[in-house]
């Protein structure tokens, strides 16, 4: 009885402190010991808490299922254990429903075939670039070291959600667990953030190679290249972890339909059972700031590089422009969809799904083609690798 009274007093105290002139509600569930877990949700608590617009306070195991109603806390009537259990079943989301790209069975079968081909080509193309950068001694340079790391990120970016999307085309019920959803959010922003920073590192490499050729190999040593790659991954992980920290503890108590083929962060945040305005601003600021800084650095770098190339002799200009055009094309393909996303970050448009597909499937597919078609060294390395493969077959 002492624990019951203590728990009751704590609940009433929290209500009197935080719920005056504010909208409060409770979510009640039963834990494995048969005890109630009362979660007090306080809306519009900005005067007291600046980090979230809503505050969630949970009291666990202090009040048994036979405790009296708490009318001060809730607008819902939990008059019996049965009503508590019925509310409990609605209060916790364990999986999300992915609406996918289409509800038409015929179109889904067609998309299954198309995306299977594109996904296979994206993975094989990027793995091929990694292999030739490792095996061909002529490609043992800083630029191709960074390029092979970009290809590795593209493989990861194409794989975090696309295989599930392809498998879901053959399923009637497209669901993903809560843990799987959070994993997709985490890996999307790890690979996206890492690729942005790596593109800046590649621009810095081209700047040194063209604007400071005499100091290029001294500055871009193996240690510096490894540091640049490590920094890109570190920033990507830090960027993604901050997103995950803001999302994983949100209360999802009912709506669970995500209108995409993977768990897109803005869409998942909107499903939370509280006011997410401040959270949306934090997410937009986090992603937008990183994207803006990287984009400005790339813009400045390539402007300086192009100005330097145009002042050089005509003989070296064509090769430099060919290499630069490949880099600039990849930057445009990567940042083009991002610009559209951040113009309307939390509004849903039919084109959003196309942008998601472009970002996760077509960009990893196009990057190897761009670098292969526009790079003489890569094409010669591929011919050499093919001859070695054919020669080994003939010997065997």
């Amino acid at each position: 009885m002492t624990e019951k009274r203590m728990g009751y007093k704590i609940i009433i105290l929290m209500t009197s402190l935080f719920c005056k002139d504010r909208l409060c509600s409770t979510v009640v569930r039963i834990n494995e010991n048969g005890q109630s877990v009362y979660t007090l949700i306080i809306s519009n608590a900005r005067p007291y808490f600046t980090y979230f617009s809503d505050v969630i306070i949970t009291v666990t195991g202090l009040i048994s299922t036979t405790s009296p109603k708490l009318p001060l806390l809730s607008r819902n009537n939990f008059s019996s254990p049965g009503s508590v259990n019925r509310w409990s079943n609605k209060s916790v989301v364990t999986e999300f429903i992915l609406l996918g790209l289409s509800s038409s069975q015929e179109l889904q079968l067609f998309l299954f075939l198309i995306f299977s081909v594109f996904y296979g080509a994206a993975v094989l193309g990027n793995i091929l670039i990694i292999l030739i950068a490792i095996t061909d001694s002529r490609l043992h340079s800083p630029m191709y070291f960074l390029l092979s790391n970009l290809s590795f990120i593209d493989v990861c970016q194409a794989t975090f959600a696309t295989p599930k999307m392809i498998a879901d085309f053959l399923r009637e019920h497209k669901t993903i667990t809560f843990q799987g959803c959070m994993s997709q959010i985490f890996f999307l922003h790890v690979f996206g953030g890492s690729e942005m920073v790596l593109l800046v590192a590649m621009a810095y490499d081209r700047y040194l190679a063209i604007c400071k050729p005499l100091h290029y190999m001294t500055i871009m040593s193996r240690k510096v290249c490894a540091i640049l790659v490590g920094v890109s991954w570190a920033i990507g992980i830090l960027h993604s972890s901050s997103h995950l920290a803001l999302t994983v503890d949100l209360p999802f108590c009912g709506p669970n339909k995500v209108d995409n083929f993977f768990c897109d962060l803005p869409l998942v945040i909107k499903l939370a059972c509280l006011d997410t305005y401040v959270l949306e601003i934090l997410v937009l600021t986090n992603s937008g700031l990183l994207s803006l800084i990287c984009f400005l650095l790339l813009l400045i770098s390539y402007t300086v590089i192009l100005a330097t190339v145009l002042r050089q002799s005509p003989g070296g200009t064509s090769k430099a422009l060919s290499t630069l055009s490949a880099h600039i094309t990849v930057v445009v393909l990567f940042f083009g969809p991002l610009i559209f996303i951040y113009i309307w970050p939390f509004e849903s448009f039919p084109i959003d799904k196309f942008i998601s597909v472009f970002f996760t499937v077509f960009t990893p597919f196009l990057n190897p083609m761009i670098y292969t078609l526009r790079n003489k060294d890569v094409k010669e390395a591929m011919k050499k690798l093919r001859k070695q493969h054919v020669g080994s077959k003939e010997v065997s």
Side-chain angles (χ1 to χ4, degrees), residues 243-299:
H243 278 319
L244 197 64
L246 296 173
T247 310
V248 70
D249 288 328
L250 288 175
F252 297 97
C253 56
N256 66 338
K257 292 183 179 180
V258 180
D259 191 16
N260 212 325
F261 64 91
F262 68 94
C263 285
D264 193 13
L265 181 59
L267 299 179
V268 173
I269 286 176
K270 282 188 171 294
L271 299 177
C273 301
L274 46 75
D275 179 14
T276 59
Y277 175 77
V278 173
L279 187 58
E280 290 173 4
I281 296 299
L282 288 172
V283 168
L284 177 62
T285 303
N286 186 355
S287 295
L289 192 61
L290 178 62
S291 302
L292 180 62
I293 291 172
C294 291
F295 183 74
L296 290 177
L297 289 174
L298 287 167
L299 188 63

Side-chain angles (χ1 to χ4, degrees), residues 191-235:
F191 303 139
S194 299
E195 183 160 346
M196 277 191 281
V197 180
L198 190 61
L199 288 172
V200 174
M202 294 175 72
Y204 176 66
D205 170 77
R206 291 300 84 203
Y207 166 78
L208 292 175
I210 294 172
C211 301
K212 298 182 182 295
L214 298 179
H215 304 283
Y216 175 65
M217 293 308 298
T218 304
I219 298 174
M220 290 298 291
S221 61
R222 288 187 179 182
K223 183 179 179 180
V224 171
C225 291
I227 289 173
L228 289 173
V229 172
V231 167
S232 69
W233 280 101
I235 291 176

Side-chain angles (χ1 to χ4, degrees), residues 13-31:
L13 178 62
M14 290 190 301
T15 305
S16 62
L17 285 175
F18 301 116
C19 293
K20 188 177 181 180
D21 299 326
R22 292 177 180 82
L23 179 62
C24 292
S25 59
T26 54
V27 175
V28 182
R29 57 187 175 84
I30 307 300
N31 66 14

Side-chain angles (χ1 to χ4, degrees), residues 334-358:
F334 186 87
F335 281 93
L338 288 182
I339 291 171
F340 182 87
I341 289 171
Y342 290 118
I343 291 175
W344 298 282
F346 292 97
E347 298 292 333
S348 296
F349 296 95
I351 198 173
D352 287 351
K353 292 184 181 181
F354 172 77
I355 292 174
S356 298
V357 169
F358 189 85

